[in-house]
Amino acid sequence: MAKKSVVLLPETIEILVQMGEQIKLARLRRQLRAELVAERAGISRATLVSIEKGSPSVSMGCYAAVLHALNYMDKDLLLVAKDDVLGRKLQDLDLSIRKRVSKRR
């Protein structure tokens, strides 16, 4: 059975590339060797290089492990979709509003 590949939009690919560059810069600012970060994250150096290039074939878990290895930067993942403005507006539009108050007995 062949493995399915996900088709990504160009904007998403650019985001991954930018994220990879930011991870690499964070590692370099901390003056950490790639081998050390890969070892701390429990991945191979080749996988770390793929992450720093923004490869979409690397699992999200590996990205999170590298962020954690860079002094607990994985906490920033909690900010993803935290303020979902569009989702809240859509939710508010779907709320039913009662026209009358229910009678109490």
XYZ file of all heavy atoms in Angstrom:
820
model
N 0.839 -1.170 0.000
C 0.000 0.000 0.000
C 0.893 1.246 0.000
O 1.757 1.404 0.856
C -0.890 -0.027 1.244
C -1.936 1.016 1.258
S -3.075 0.574 2.593
C -4.060 1.998 2.568
N 0.692 2.103 -0.947
C 1.522 3.303 -1.079
C 1.165 4.333 -0.018
O 0.004 4.468 0.373
C 1.337 3.905 -2.462
N 2.184 5.038 0.421
C 1.979 6.079 1.419
C 1.392 7.312 0.743
O 1.862 7.743 -0.300
C 3.318 6.418 2.079
C 3.204 7.335 3.248
C 4.555 7.515 3.900
C 4.440 8.422 5.094
N 5.732 8.643 5.731
N 0.343 7.877 1.337
C -0.281 9.070 0.778
C 0.557 10.286 1.117
O 1.067 10.414 2.225
C -1.684 9.258 1.341
C -2.667 8.203 0.923
C -4.037 8.505 1.471
C -5.031 7.451 1.067
N -6.361 7.724 1.591
N 0.678 11.171 0.164
C 1.402 12.412 0.437
C 0.400 13.553 0.518
O -0.590 13.593 -0.204
C 2.441 12.687 -0.640
O 1.803 12.901 -1.877
N 0.680 14.470 1.403
C -0.193 15.610 1.609
C 0.219 16.715 0.646
O 1.395 17.003 0.487
C -0.088 16.106 3.070
C -0.939 17.331 3.289
C -0.484 15.001 4.024
N -0.755 17.326 0.011
C -0.484 18.435 -0.887
C -0.595 19.721 -0.081
O -1.630 20.005 0.514
C -1.482 18.453 -2.070
C -1.216 19.640 -2.971
C -1.404 17.151 -2.845
N 0.485 20.483 -0.032
C 0.509 21.712 0.731
C 0.437 22.921 -0.189
O 0.993 22.906 -1.285
C 1.782 21.799 1.571
C 1.960 20.726 2.638
C 3.305 20.884 3.317
C 0.845 20.783 3.652
N -0.220 23.953 0.274
C -0.269 25.204 -0.465
C 1.088 25.893 -0.391
O 1.830 25.704 0.581
C -1.338 26.116 0.130
C -2.776 25.615 0.040
C -3.706 26.526 0.820
C -3.219 25.530 -1.405
N 1.419 26.702 -1.382
C 2.705 27.409 -1.358
C 2.889 28.270 -0.103
O 3.996 28.365 0.426
C 2.661 28.282 -2.616
C 1.695 27.606 -3.522
C 0.696 26.936 -2.628
N 1.800 28.865 0.389
C 1.895 29.676 1.600
C 2.299 28.830 2.806
O 3.073 29.264 3.650
C 0.566 30.385 1.893
C 0.161 31.409 0.862
C -0.648 30.811 -0.284
O -0.979 29.607 -0.249
O -0.934 31.564 -1.236
N 1.782 27.628 2.875
C 2.101 26.731 3.979
C 3.556 26.286 3.897
O 4.246 26.214 4.920
C 1.170 25.501 3.960
O -0.186 25.955 3.978
C 1.411 24.605 5.152
N 4.021 26.014 2.709
C 5.426 25.626 2.527
C 6.334 26.772 2.962
O 7.342 26.557 3.649
C 5.690 25.212 1.066
C 4.929 23.921 0.757
C 7.175 25.041 0.797
C 4.923 23.517 -0.697
N 5.967 27.992 2.604
C 6.771 29.159 2.994
C 6.782 29.324 4.516
O 7.806 29.676 5.105
C 6.232 30.430 2.326
C 7.038 31.675 2.632
C 8.513 31.563 2.279
O 8.841 30.960 1.244
O 9.339 32.080 3.054
N 5.674 29.050 5.173
C 5.615 29.123 6.638
C 6.553 28.096 7.259
O 7.271 28.386 8.215
C 4.166 28.938 7.136
C 3.337 30.178 6.790
C 4.117 28.662 8.635
C 1.853 30.015 7.010
N 6.561 26.881 6.714
C 7.456 25.845 7.227
C 8.923 26.229 7.033
O 9.749 26.020 7.927
C 7.173 24.498 6.554
C 5.900 23.785 6.999
C 5.661 22.551 6.133
C 5.990 23.402 8.455
N 9.233 26.798 5.879
C 10.609 27.231 5.619
C 11.010 28.319 6.604
O 12.102 28.287 7.187
C 10.765 27.723 4.157
C 12.092 28.416 3.939
C 10.610 26.551 3.189
N 10.114 29.275 6.822
C 10.396 30.351 7.777
C 10.556 29.799 9.194
O 11.453 30.206 9.931
C 9.282 31.387 7.735
C 9.536 32.585 8.617
C 8.423 33.624 8.520
O 7.520 33.511 7.710
N 8.498 34.631 9.354
N 9.704 28.848 9.565
C 9.806 28.245 10.894
C 11.139 27.506 11.040
O 11.792 27.591 12.087
C 8.635 27.294 11.144
C 8.561 26.797 12.564
S 6.995 26.013 12.986
C 7.139 24.484 12.120
N 11.556 26.802 10.004
C 12.838 26.107 10.040
C 13.996 27.065 10.220
O 14.921 26.808 11.003
N 13.940 28.185 9.503
C 14.990 29.198 9.640
C 15.013 29.765 11.058
O 16.086 29.997 11.628
C 14.772 30.327 8.632
C 15.038 29.927 7.205
C 14.652 31.005 6.192
O 14.212 32.107 6.603
O 14.782 30.740 4.991
N 13.836 29.996 11.632
C 13.760 30.539 12.986
C 14.304 29.549 14.011
O 14.976 29.936 14.968
C 12.323 30.935 13.320
C 11.855 32.141 12.540
C 10.373 32.412 12.692
O 9.601 31.551 13.111
N 9.969 33.605 12.333
N 14.051 28.264 13.799
C 14.592 27.234 14.693
C 16.112 27.208 14.596
O 16.817 27.137 15.604
C 13.968 25.860 14.367
C 12.502 25.835 14.812
C 14.748 24.724 15.020
C 11.726 24.615 14.353
N 16.616 27.288 13.374
C 18.077 27.291 13.185
C 18.704 28.510 13.851
O 19.721 28.402 14.549
C 18.419 27.275 11.694
C 19.909 27.215 11.434
C 20.201 27.092 9.957
C 21.693 26.942 9.728
N 21.995 26.690 8.315
N 18.095 29.694 13.672
C 18.626 30.901 14.297
C 18.582 30.811 15.824
O 19.512 31.260 16.503
C 17.864 32.134 13.812
C 18.125 32.533 12.358
C 17.190 33.660 11.933
C 19.572 32.918 12.156
N 17.530 30.213 16.368
C 17.437 30.039 17.820
C 18.560 29.132 18.316
O 19.171 29.393 19.355
C 16.079 29.452 18.197
N 18.855 28.077 17.556
C 19.950 27.177 17.932
C 21.294 27.901 17.873
O 22.113 27.783 18.792
C 19.966 25.952 17.002
C 21.126 25.002 17.269
C 21.108 23.807 16.348
N 21.274 24.121 14.953
C 22.451 24.386 14.368
N 23.560 24.405 15.076
N 22.515 24.629 13.069
N 21.494 28.660 16.817
C 22.762 29.373 16.655
C 22.941 30.460 17.717
O 24.050 30.667 18.221
C 22.866 29.972 15.253
C 22.964 28.950 14.113
C 22.902 29.633 12.765
C 24.213 28.098 14.254
N 21.857 31.170 18.063
C 21.945 32.193 19.110
C 22.347 31.582 20.446
O 23.020 32.211 21.248
C 20.605 32.923 19.263
C 20.357 33.983 18.213
C 19.152 34.842 18.563
N 17.907 34.101 18.559
C 17.105 33.971 17.497
N 17.425 34.540 16.351
N 15.989 33.291 17.578
N 21.916 30.356 20.679
C 22.256 29.658 21.922
C 23.631 28.984 21.828
O 24.079 28.363 22.775
C 21.188 28.625 22.244
C 19.897 29.256 22.726
C 18.743 28.277 22.656
N 17.520 28.834 23.199
C 16.779 29.762 22.602
N 17.133 30.241 21.433
N 15.680 30.212 23.170
N 24.243 29.088 20.674
C 25.554 28.507 20.404
C 25.573 27.002 20.683
O 26.474 26.464 21.327
C 26.644 29.220 21.198
C 26.766 30.683 20.831
C 27.823 31.411 21.619
O 28.407 30.882 22.553
N 28.085 32.650 21.222
N 24.529 26.322 20.202
C 24.419 24.868 20.362
C 24.741 24.193 19.037
O 24.264 24.617 17.981
C 23.010 24.488 20.813
C 22.583 25.012 22.182
C 21.101 24.730 22.412
C 23.422 24.393 23.274
N 25.547 23.159 19.097
C 25.858 22.374 17.900
C 24.644 21.560 17.483
O 23.842 21.139 18.321
C 27.038 21.453 18.175
C 28.341 22.189 18.387
C 29.529 21.237 18.479
N 29.181 19.836 18.565
C 29.368 19.078 19.648
N 29.910 19.574 20.726
N 29.033 17.805 19.634
N 24.531 21.321 16.205
C 23.409 20.555 15.670
C 23.374 19.147 16.273
O 22.302 18.620 16.571
C 23.499 20.489 14.148
N 24.540 18.547 16.458
C 24.600 17.200 17.024
C 24.003 17.162 18.429
O 23.285 16.230 18.790
C 26.046 16.686 17.066
C 26.674 16.467 15.715
C 27.230 17.748 15.094
O 27.298 18.785 15.788
O 27.576 17.705 13.900
N 24.288 18.195 19.222
C 23.791 18.244 20.593
C 22.273 18.409 20.630
O 21.585 17.713 21.373
C 24.465 19.388 21.363
C 24.013 19.568 22.817
C 24.370 18.337 23.645
C 24.633 20.820 23.404
N 21.753 19.310 19.809
C 20.301 19.525 19.774
C 19.594 18.273 19.282
O 18.566 17.869 19.844
C 19.947 20.756 18.900
C 18.446 20.880 18.725
C 20.522 22.017 19.514
N 20.146 17.636 18.265
C 19.544 16.402 17.743
C 19.532 15.319 18.818
O 18.536 14.611 18.994
C 20.301 15.930 16.510
N 20.629 15.209 19.553
C 20.706 14.205 20.622
C 19.681 14.506 21.714
O 18.983 13.595 22.175
C 22.111 14.195 21.214
C 22.315 13.132 22.284
C 23.732 13.160 22.847
O 24.660 13.515 22.114
O 23.878 12.812 24.036
N 19.581 15.763 22.115
C 18.605 16.151 23.151
C 17.174 15.895 22.691
O 16.318 15.542 23.488
C 18.754 17.626 23.497
C 19.963 17.953 24.324
C 19.975 19.435 24.633
N 21.147 19.828 25.403
C 21.425 21.070 25.748
N 20.616 22.053 25.386
N 22.506 21.337 26.439
N 16.928 16.093 21.407
C 15.579 15.907 20.870
C 15.272 14.443 20.560
O 14.125 14.090 20.300
C 15.412 16.749 19.612
N 16.298 13.602 20.564
C 16.087 12.185 20.273
C 15.875 11.903 18.800
O 15.159 10.966 18.436
N 16.478 12.722 17.953
C 16.363 12.541 16.508
C 17.763 12.510 15.903
O 18.745 12.800 16.578
C 15.538 13.677 15.855
C 16.208 15.035 16.100
C 14.107 13.670 16.358
C 15.562 16.187 15.357
N 17.834 12.174 14.629
C 19.138 12.169 13.951
C 19.505 13.586 13.525
O 18.642 14.462 13.421
C 19.092 11.262 12.725
O 18.266 11.835 11.727
N 20.777 13.780 13.266
C 21.232 15.088 12.800
C 20.599 15.401 11.443
O 20.261 16.540 11.153
C 22.760 15.127 12.697
C 23.282 16.504 12.358
C 24.820 16.528 12.313
N 25.303 17.841 11.946
C 25.318 18.329 10.715
N 24.847 17.593 9.718
N 25.785 19.536 10.463
N 20.423 14.385 10.601
C 19.804 14.579 9.286
C 18.364 15.085 9.426
O 17.918 15.945 8.651
C 19.837 13.284 8.494
N 17.638 14.569 10.428
C 16.273 15.033 10.667
C 16.281 16.484 11.127
O 15.439 17.284 10.705
C 15.566 14.136 11.703
O 15.550 12.794 11.216
C 14.138 14.594 11.947
N 17.251 16.844 11.963
C 17.365 18.234 12.403
C 17.646 19.150 11.214
O 17.050 20.228 11.106
C 18.457 18.393 13.454
C 18.687 19.828 13.941
C 17.430 20.404 14.587
C 19.856 19.888 14.902
N 18.512 18.725 10.314
C 18.794 19.517 9.113
C 17.513 19.693 8.294
O 17.218 20.788 7.796
C 19.916 18.873 8.277
C 20.039 19.528 6.909
C 21.235 18.937 9.027
N 16.714 18.632 8.172
C 15.437 18.720 7.447
C 14.489 19.707 8.119
O 13.798 20.475 7.445
C 14.780 17.345 7.356
O 15.547 16.471 6.569
N 14.453 19.683 9.444
C 13.600 20.616 10.189
C 14.053 22.043 9.938
O 13.230 22.941 9.692
C 13.610 20.279 11.691
C 12.823 18.998 11.937
C 13.051 21.429 12.527
C 12.939 18.454 13.350
N 15.348 22.273 9.981
C 15.872 23.627 9.786
C 15.686 24.116 8.349
O 15.732 25.311 8.099
C 17.336 23.686 10.206
C 17.512 23.561 11.711
C 18.952 23.635 12.169
O 19.875 23.577 11.319
O 19.166 23.747 13.394
N 15.426 23.195 7.434
C 15.098 23.578 6.052
C 13.590 23.722 5.865
O 13.134 24.152 4.807
C 15.622 22.525 5.070
C 17.130 22.529 4.938
C 17.572 21.487 3.938
C 19.083 21.526 3.770
N 19.546 20.496 2.826
N 12.809 23.342 6.879
C 11.352 23.462 6.799
C 10.697 22.348 6.027
O 9.654 22.537 5.406
N 11.266 21.171 6.092
C 10.732 20.028 5.348
C 9.353 19.624 5.861
O 9.168 19.385 7.053
C 11.681 18.841 5.462
O 11.110 17.707 4.863
N 8.358 19.511 4.953
C 7.021 19.103 5.379
C 6.912 17.604 5.674
O 5.916 17.154 6.234
C 6.137 19.486 4.195
C 7.049 19.497 3.030
C 8.397 19.874 3.547
N 7.944 16.840 5.335
C 7.876 15.395 5.553
C 8.259 14.994 6.980
O 8.084 13.842 7.365
C 8.778 14.666 4.554
O 10.129 15.020 4.774
N 8.770 15.934 7.763
C 9.145 15.644 9.150
C 7.909 15.805 10.024
O 7.144 16.754 9.862
C 10.272 16.597 9.615
C 10.646 16.322 11.053
C 11.488 16.464 8.713
N 7.741 14.894 10.968
C 6.538 14.935 11.803
C 6.529 16.137 12.733
O 7.569 16.669 13.127
C 6.429 13.650 12.641
O 7.352 13.694 13.717
N 5.335 16.551 13.093
C 5.157 17.676 14.011
C 5.796 17.364 15.366
O 6.301 18.259 16.039
C 3.658 17.948 14.174
C 3.334 19.180 14.899
S 3.834 20.568 13.884
C 3.383 21.879 14.931
N 5.791 16.105 15.737
C 6.405 15.699 16.996
C 7.901 15.969 17.016
O 8.457 16.355 18.049
N 8.555 15.785 15.877
C 9.994 16.077 15.799
C 10.245 17.566 15.917
O 11.187 17.997 16.587
C 10.578 15.536 14.499
S 10.671 13.732 14.445
N 9.402 18.374 15.273
C 9.522 19.826 15.416
C 9.379 20.211 16.884
O 10.154 21.009 17.415
C 8.459 20.556 14.586
C 8.821 20.759 13.130
C 8.511 19.805 12.171
C 9.448 21.922 12.712
C 8.819 20.001 10.830
C 9.765 22.133 11.376
C 9.452 21.167 10.438
O 9.771 21.364 9.118
N 8.382 19.634 17.571
C 8.153 19.941 18.989
C 9.336 19.491 19.845
O 9.728 20.188 20.790
C 6.865 19.279 19.462
N 9.911 18.333 19.527
C 11.055 17.831 20.301
C 12.258 18.757 20.170
O 12.969 19.009 21.151
C 11.416 16.418 19.838
N 12.478 19.288 18.975
C 13.588 20.221 18.778
C 13.324 21.518 19.535
O 14.222 22.054 20.194
C 13.823 20.490 17.267
C 14.776 21.647 17.061
C 14.346 19.234 16.597
N 12.103 22.019 19.472
C 11.770 23.239 20.224
C 11.974 23.020 21.717
O 12.457 23.901 22.420
C 10.342 23.671 19.923
C 10.114 24.246 18.526
C 8.624 24.410 18.253
C 10.848 25.556 18.352
N 11.628 21.841 22.198
C 11.827 21.530 23.621
C 13.325 21.478 23.948
O 13.745 21.949 25.006
C 11.156 20.208 23.973
C 11.229 19.878 25.422
N 10.418 20.476 26.352
C 12.039 19.035 26.118
C 10.715 20.010 27.557
N 11.699 19.136 27.440
N 14.106 20.930 23.043
C 15.552 20.832 23.256
C 16.216 22.214 23.275
O 17.300 22.371 23.823
C 16.184 19.964 22.170
N 15.551 23.203 22.683
C 16.068 24.572 22.682
C 15.519 25.337 23.887
O 14.948 26.410 23.757
C 15.697 25.287 21.375
C 16.347 24.738 20.118
C 15.744 25.389 18.885
C 17.849 24.929 20.155
N 15.670 24.746 25.049
C 15.247 25.370 26.310
C 13.749 25.619 26.389
O 13.307 26.738 26.624
C 16.029 26.661 26.569
C 17.502 26.407 26.721
O 17.901 25.328 27.164
N 18.317 27.365 26.343
N 12.970 24.584 26.154
C 11.530 24.580 26.390
C 10.755 25.562 25.526
O 9.747 26.116 25.954
C 11.224 24.822 27.871
C 11.980 23.885 28.777
C 13.065 24.323 29.515
C 11.620 22.553 28.852
C 13.779 23.461 30.327
C 12.328 21.674 29.669
C 13.404 22.141 30.404
O 14.103 21.275 31.198
N 11.200 25.779 24.298
C 10.475 26.653 23.387
C 9.192 26.007 22.869
O 8.397 26.656 22.207
C 11.366 27.049 22.204
C 12.492 27.974 22.580
S 13.491 28.449 21.159
C 12.330 29.463 20.261
N 8.951 24.735 23.195
C 7.744 24.059 22.741
C 6.491 24.644 23.384
O 5.392 24.446 22.890
C 7.826 22.560 22.990
C 8.141 22.194 24.423
O 8.742 23.013 25.140
O 7.807 21.061 24.827
N 6.622 25.388 24.451
C 5.466 26.034 25.080
C 4.798 27.008 24.110
O 3.609 27.280 24.219
C 5.885 26.781 26.343
C 6.536 25.908 27.378
C 5.579 25.556 28.457
C 6.317 24.918 29.608
N 5.906 23.614 29.915
N 5.562 27.543 23.141
C 5.001 28.462 22.153
C 3.958 27.779 21.276
O 3.129 28.451 20.662
C 6.107 29.050 21.277
C 7.007 30.002 22.041
O 6.609 30.463 23.133
O 8.114 30.286 21.548
N 3.985 26.455 21.199
C 2.985 25.739 20.402
C 1.578 25.915 20.972
O 0.589 25.757 20.258
C 3.335 24.246 20.322
C 4.586 23.917 19.508
C 4.925 22.442 19.641
C 4.406 24.298 18.051
N 1.495 26.263 22.251
C 0.189 26.500 22.863
C -0.483 27.760 22.308
O -1.677 27.957 22.485
C 0.327 26.616 24.387
C 0.768 25.347 25.099
C 1.005 25.632 26.573
C -0.272 24.255 24.935
N 0.272 28.607 21.648
C -0.275 29.832 21.083
C -0.956 29.603 19.734
O -1.679 30.471 19.256
C 0.838 30.877 20.923
C 1.561 31.272 22.207
C 2.703 32.232 21.901
C 0.597 31.884 23.203
N -0.738 28.429 19.135
C -1.334 28.129 17.837
C -2.853 28.074 17.975
O -3.394 27.346 18.807
C -0.791 26.789 17.278
C -1.505 26.421 15.993
C 0.705 26.876 17.073
N -3.538 28.876 17.204
C -5.005 28.947 17.159
C -5.630 29.314 18.504
O -6.791 29.020 18.750
C -5.601 27.647 16.628
N -4.870 29.971 19.354
C -5.408 30.362 20.659
C -6.515 31.396 20.506
O -7.581 31.265 21.090
C -4.289 30.902 21.548
C -4.771 31.287 22.926
C -3.639 31.786 23.780
C -4.177 32.205 25.140
N -3.127 32.759 25.972
N -6.248 32.428 19.744
C -7.245 33.461 19.505
C -7.846 33.254 18.122
O -7.415 33.847 17.146
C -6.616 34.855 19.618
C -6.145 35.150 21.025
O -6.852 34.756 21.969
O -5.079 35.761 21.173
N -8.851 32.407 18.064
C -9.495 32.042 16.805
C -10.652 33.004 16.547
O -11.808 32.701 16.812
C -9.974 30.596 16.888
C -10.567 30.094 15.592
O -10.424 30.777 14.560
O -11.185 29.017 15.617
N -10.324 34.177 16.027
C -11.321 35.219 15.821
C -12.398 34.766 14.843
O -13.597 34.896 15.118
C -10.639 36.525 15.331
C -11.669 37.589 15.037
C -9.642 37.012 16.363
N -12.004 34.223 13.710
C -12.974 33.773 12.717
C -13.857 32.660 13.279
O -15.075 32.683 13.112
C -12.269 33.295 11.453
C -13.178 32.697 10.373
C -14.174 33.733 9.878
C -12.351 32.139 9.224
N -13.254 31.706 13.958
C -14.031 30.611 14.534
C -15.054 31.098 15.548
O -16.193 30.622 15.590
N -14.680 32.069 16.361
C -15.620 32.616 17.348
C -16.767 33.357 16.664
O -17.914 33.254 17.084
C -14.899 33.529 18.318
C -13.971 32.771 19.243
C -13.358 33.703 20.277
N -12.285 33.058 20.988
C -12.441 32.244 22.024
N -13.644 31.960 22.453
N -11.397 31.709 22.611
N -16.479 34.088 15.587
C -17.540 34.784 14.850
C -18.507 33.785 14.234
O -19.724 33.967 14.290
C -16.938 35.674 13.770
C -16.309 36.933 14.315
C -15.755 37.804 13.204
C -15.085 39.041 13.776
N -14.495 39.876 12.729
N -17.955 32.724 13.639
C -18.815 31.691 13.055
C -19.661 31.011 14.122
O -20.829 30.712 13.902
C -17.966 30.665 12.312
C -17.278 31.159 11.043
C -16.319 30.110 10.521
C -18.295 31.540 9.987
N -19.066 30.781 15.276
C -19.800 30.163 16.374
C -20.922 31.079 16.838
O -22.038 30.638 17.084
C -18.846 29.873 17.528
C -19.474 29.148 18.688
C -18.471 28.902 19.801
O -17.516 29.654 19.966
N -18.692 27.853 20.555
N -20.645 32.376 16.953
C -21.663 33.330 17.389
C -22.817 33.422 16.398
O -23.973 33.582 16.793
C -21.057 34.722 17.592
C -20.126 34.767 18.794
O -20.188 33.834 19.630
O -19.337 35.719 18.890
N -22.536 33.306 15.105
C -23.589 33.355 14.094
C -24.514 32.152 14.181
O -25.682 32.239 13.825
C -22.971 33.431 12.693
C -22.306 34.743 12.328
C -21.602 34.611 10.982
C -23.326 35.865 12.275
N -23.994 31.048 14.648
C -24.783 29.812 14.699
C -25.585 29.674 15.995
O -26.414 28.795 16.112
C -23.851 28.609 14.534
C -24.606 27.330 14.233
O -25.610 27.389 13.499
O -24.191 26.281 14.742
N -25.365 30.560 16.949
C -26.090 30.465 18.210
C -27.552 30.827 18.003
O -27.880 31.828 17.365
C -25.482 31.399 19.260
C -24.079 31.040 19.729
C -23.581 32.106 20.702
C -24.065 29.692 20.409
N -28.417 30.010 18.545
C -29.841 30.323 18.440
C -30.223 31.246 19.594
O -29.787 31.074 20.727
C -30.674 29.044 18.483
O -30.457 28.369 19.703
N -31.032 32.231 19.270
C -31.456 33.195 20.277
C -32.929 32.946 20.558
O -33.760 32.938 19.643
C -31.236 34.644 19.782
C -29.755 34.847 19.495
C -31.766 35.645 20.783
C -29.435 36.158 18.835
N -33.252 32.762 21.819
C -34.635 32.532 22.196
C -35.401 33.840 22.124
O -34.934 34.873 22.581
C -34.712 31.982 23.609
C -34.065 30.640 23.744
C -34.186 30.201 25.161
N -34.937 28.961 25.150
C -35.307 28.324 26.226
N -35.048 28.813 27.402
N -35.955 27.197 26.137
N -36.597 33.775 21.557
C -37.412 34.977 21.447
C -38.235 35.200 22.706
O -38.628 36.309 23.005
C -38.321 34.875 20.230
C -37.526 34.878 18.933
C -38.419 34.845 17.753
C -37.568 34.834 16.492
N -38.350 34.812 15.293
N -38.502 34.144 23.429
C -39.285 34.252 24.649
C -38.562 33.573 25.794
O -37.813 32.636 25.600
C -40.615 33.528 24.491
C -41.550 34.094 23.542
C -42.722 33.272 23.759
N -43.870 33.410 22.964
C -44.925 32.648 23.162
N -44.943 31.748 24.068
N -45.994 32.805 22.425
N -38.902 34.023 26.943
C -38.397 33.390 28.144
C -39.324 32.213 28.454
O -40.547 32.331 28.338
C -38.368 34.389 29.317
C -37.886 33.714 30.577
C -37.506 35.575 28.974
N -38.771 31.086 28.848
C -39.610 29.941 29.156
C -40.448 30.203 30.393
O -40.029 30.894 31.329
C -38.744 28.696 29.364
O -37.866 28.917 30.431
N -41.665 29.639 30.406
C -42.576 29.819 31.539
C -42.154 28.927 32.699
O -41.832 27.765 32.510
C -44.016 29.458 31.144
C -44.577 30.375 30.096
C -45.980 29.954 29.780
C -46.566 30.851 28.687
N -47.948 30.476 28.362
N -42.172 29.519 33.862
C -41.847 28.721 35.047
C -43.140 28.277 35.707
O -44.103 29.021 35.779
C -41.038 29.549 36.041
C -39.679 29.873 35.521
C -38.871 30.477 36.593
N -37.575 30.838 36.038
C -36.546 31.168 36.750
N -36.643 31.223 38.057
N -35.409 31.476 36.192
N -43.157 27.132 36.220
C -44.367 26.589 36.867
C -44.220 26.544 38.327
O -43.367 26.418 39.003
C -44.672 25.201 36.345
C -45.063 25.275 34.893
C -45.450 23.931 34.435
N -45.708 24.005 33.000
C -46.266 23.062 32.330
N -46.599 21.955 32.907
N -46.475 23.191 31.065
